[in-house]
Amino acid sequence: MNGAHNVNDINLLAQQQQQQNRVKIGIRNWQNATVQDVINFLSRNTRIAVMDAIVQGPLVMGYVQSRADADALLKWNGIRFAGNNLKFEILDDAAGGAGTNSTITLLKNFLYKRYNTQTKMLDLANLHADPDLVQKGLFSSISTQSKMFPALMKLASKEPQLVVESVNLSNNNLKDISGITTLAQTFPHLKNLCLANNQISRFRTIEVWKNKFKELRELLMTNNPITSDKLYRSEMMRLFPKLVILDNVVVRDEQKLMSIYSLPMKIQPYFFENNEIGSSSTDFVTNFLNFWDADRVQLLGLYTPQSQFSLSVDSSIPPSSVSESDQNPSFGYYLPHSRNISKVSSEKSIEQRLSMGAEAISNIFRALPKTKHHLQDMPNEYSVETITYPQVSGFIVTLHGFFEEVAKPDVDTNNKSSTGRSRRFNHSHNASNNRLSKKSFDRTWVIVPTGNGVVVASDLLTVRPFAANAWVNPAQQLQQQPPPAPHIDPMNPNINALPPTVGMGAIGMDMPPAAPQPAVSVPAISMPAVPSAPPTLQIPPEVQARLNPMQLQLLIKLHLETKLNAEYTYMLAEQSGWNYEVAVKGFQNSASNIPREAFIQ
Amino acid sequence: MNRYGGRAGNFGNSGSNSGGSNSRSQIAELFVKKVLTHLDDTDPSKFHQFLGLFNPNGCKVIINATPFAQPTLFLEQWETGVTQTQHALTAVDYHVIPGSNSVVFNVNCKVRFDEGGRDRAGQDASIQQQPQHSQQPRNALNRTRPLWGSYFGVSLQMVVEERVLSNDTNGTILAFNYNMVYKPDDSLMKIH
């Protein structure tokens, strides 16, 4: 059909199976000799082999190795043979494509036939004995055989429905694993692998799997010569650090292993010392960053003459194995202001780079690039901890996350004529240091509530190269796409309702927050930062008072997802340890056993 | 030796720097390094020294947004449940908050873990097949050198009594907020 498509097909085909690669051609004006004569003649003169030739009407029909051969053959049009000019044509261009597709379909069907959804096992044992594969000629030669496994693996990696935890490759006459190394790319998180009844005899071949299969828990290699080696057990344990069972024998204490390879402090995105500061701090942070992005001057009212701000650049590059990490960050706008005392050695600079009072703070604010934070639209990308700070009768909020740099700073300190600047700024300072990009940051505010607002006593900002955050579990994230429809943002964006010209009084949180938290069904306006529950979720006030905003939000999400009533939603949440994914899974697993009255009527 | 980079210095060493006595920012930096060194220490006998830094009358400890009621509980878990670590300081800043007698530290560092399969005490999880071969082959499993994994990113905030800046570290830490901010995909360590 369309040429590009076929070329792709043929390329794919070439990797998989040479036999299917061939192109059907026709030859005219050959009649003055035998078919064999024509073919011999072509082979001699054009070096192109025509295979499986048959006569059909005026044509000799046959196959050439590849599309390239077919095209080359066409260039010989008009060559003299037995008193005539031969004419070549490509008969069915789609033949190769169709062959590929049918092979792909065959292999795909085979994969699904050998996959067990229940056990998450892909059974690739004894491939030689599979009638479908043998009939299709996949074992007709060594070369097709060796290409089949990588092809299978490639196909398997493109099938998201195949969730494979176990692979069985027993009885495959494997002498080494060179034919099946791609298994590690396709299923890096494989838990169980069976290679029993093969002829694997040397460690060296398995060495390519070192640092792969980091989750491999069980390996079965019985009836391989390698198992009689003295070093067998220790080598296997070295190659697979999380191996627990080797040939049906427990080789590692699983509990101990888990404790070694996991932190007892599992990472969470939020910590609030109590509910009140939880809601006020999320509120504060949201409001603050909105103004920080839109108009920083508006924030100056939060800083007293004794307030301090400083910036610290952490220019260390994260390892390249940190996903999305920026390996070539630019800190040109920040470095002249960085008060990283582990890097800045001059005591004078350290002193100068601490801004105290609104005026000094205003100057440095204007010297930093303009930004956009995504607290509202990408709440998962942010993490916050809030603790009380009795020594100042206030609290400390620490926010971790990222921002985009959207424009150069109002005041560019780099372009100022270098009065008093050290000499290094006169050399090799180029614009690439000032490239705008995404940055990760950690920002800590010391906040002191006053009568009707707050004061920022201290504001410490770290800017560092962008990197994907540590607190989002990739598995969870995957499941959250697309996000559940009625998503309620924990960072209630009430600030959007405020005109930007409103004075600083408006940004202040009402501190202390209204004493006991009313029932959730109260409209959100009176309780900023508390998500408003749908009217069908009625949580008794005394229960609600014990919940933090994150828990409340989880309840709402669960309720909307499951349609369970408040009591059961709460039970589900509690039993699942306030983990949304666990809760939804638990709900799905036991949905049939849940009584009718558990649901909202 | 000085894996933290930057200027060398010994803890508790009184001012011998060119600028006369140690400045407050130098003391501040040394204090942070001291805390990180304690985190990396595998010697159980140093436990009480580390504990001695935390304020005995209430100190908030938060690790990866998990709160600990007592610094002791945190340190015990760190000693028993976390493999050997190596912290490298990448950024320090601090503000003395007027009128509060306290200092807020904002620290960034990176940390890597011993991924050789041994806990802090050097025990691994392997189950001895037969009671101790007298001649065990030398390989990765019985060497005691740590096998460092890739670095994790850490953001650490501390509230510390102001006297820490005059080199008095005893019982000064009032709050300790330690959170990982990025993680390498190739690490064997699970933090979820």
Side-chain angles (χ1 to χ4, degrees), chain A residues 13 39 125 288 398:
Chain A
L13 185 68
I39 287 164
F288 188 98
T398 300

Side-chain angles (χ1 to χ4, degrees), chain A residues 99-116:
Chain A
T100 315
N101 284 335
S102 73
T103 309
I104 290 176
T105 314
L106 171 88
L107 290 179
K108 246 188 214 171
N109 289 342
F110 174 76
L111 276 176
Y112 278 102
K113 188 178 81 180
R114 294 294 196 100
Y115 175 65
N116 184 328

Side-chain angles (χ1 to χ4, degrees), chain A residues 543-560:
Chain A
V543 175
Q544 208 238 310
R546 294 200 308 265
L547 298 173
N548 71 34
M550 298 315 299
Q551 291 177 318
L552 185 55
Q553 206 222 331
L554 179 110
L555 283 186
I556 294 166
K557 243 170 104 178
L558 264 185
H559 169 72
L560 290 169

Side-chain angles (χ1 to χ4, degrees), chain A residues 117-304:
Chain A
T117 328
Q118 295 281 299
T119 56
K120 296 183 178 162
M121 158 127 117
L122 185 59
D123 185 356
L124 301 177
N126 211 354
L127 295 174
H128 299 260
D130 190 271
D132 291 353
L133 296 186
V134 173
Q135 193 194 351
K136 197 69 187 176
L138 293 185
F139 291 94
S140 55
S141 74
I142 301 276
S143 88
T144 52
Q145 205 176 325
S146 65
K147 281 168 186 152
M148 186 194 64
F149 192 81
L152 263 181
M153 288 299 102
K154 188 151 194 177
L155 283 174
S157 61
K158 285 181 184 159
E159 298 291 307
Q161 297 100 304
L162 289 178
V163 182
V164 175
E165 286 184 356
S166 310
V167 168
N168 180 6
L169 275 160
S170 59
N171 293 304
N172 275 311
N173 299 328
L174 299 169
K175 290 195 175 50
D176 53 48
I177 60 161
S178 59
I180 56 169
T181 48
T182 45
L183 192 67
Q185 278 98 62
T186 310
F187 304 117
H189 305 294
L190 196 69
K191 290 200 172 76
N192 308 295
L193 175 62
C194 175
L195 288 166
N197 303 329
N198 285 297
Q199 275 95 50
I200 301 170
S201 60
R202 297 171 66 175
F203 294 123
R204 242 206 13 224
T205 77
I206 309 180
E207 196 70 26
V208 296
W209 277 344
K210 183 168 157 48
N211 293 328
K212 310 276 166 45
F213 293 129
K214 291 186 171 178
E215 312 294 322
L216 193 72
R217 185 180 172 277
E218 181 168 357
L219 176 66
L220 200 57
M221 300 253 293
T222 44
N223 283 328
N224 280 279
I226 197 173
T227 55
S228 52
D229 196 296
K230 259 192 269 178
L231 293 176
Y232 169 64
R233 185 178 129 117
S234 62
E235 283 295 291
M236 293 303 114
M237 287 173 78
R238 178 178 68 85
L239 289 172
F240 307 109
K242 293 189 181 172
L243 192 68
V244 173
I245 301 171
L246 177 62
D247 300 336
N248 297 318
V249 175
V250 179
V251 294
R252 280 196 179 102
D253 176 348
E254 189 155 27
Q255 206 114 31
K256 175 84 183 163
L257 193 70
M258 296 237 300
S259 86
I260 286 173
Y261 285 121
S262 65
L263 275 201
M265 312 85 175
K266 300 275 176 268
I267 199 163
Q268 306 288 326
Y270 297 95
F271 172 75
F272 306 123
E273 191 174 325
N274 60 52
N275 291 346
E276 284 166 21
I277 61 173
S279 58
S280 13
S281 59
T282 47
D283 207 22
F284 167 82
V285 161
T286 314
N287 293 349
F288 188 98
L289 292 182
N290 276 332
F291 280 104
W292 179 262
D293 290 343
D295 184 8
R296 286 174 201 168
V297 177
Q298 303 272 346
L299 293 167
L300 294 174
L302 294 172
Y303 297 84
T304 70

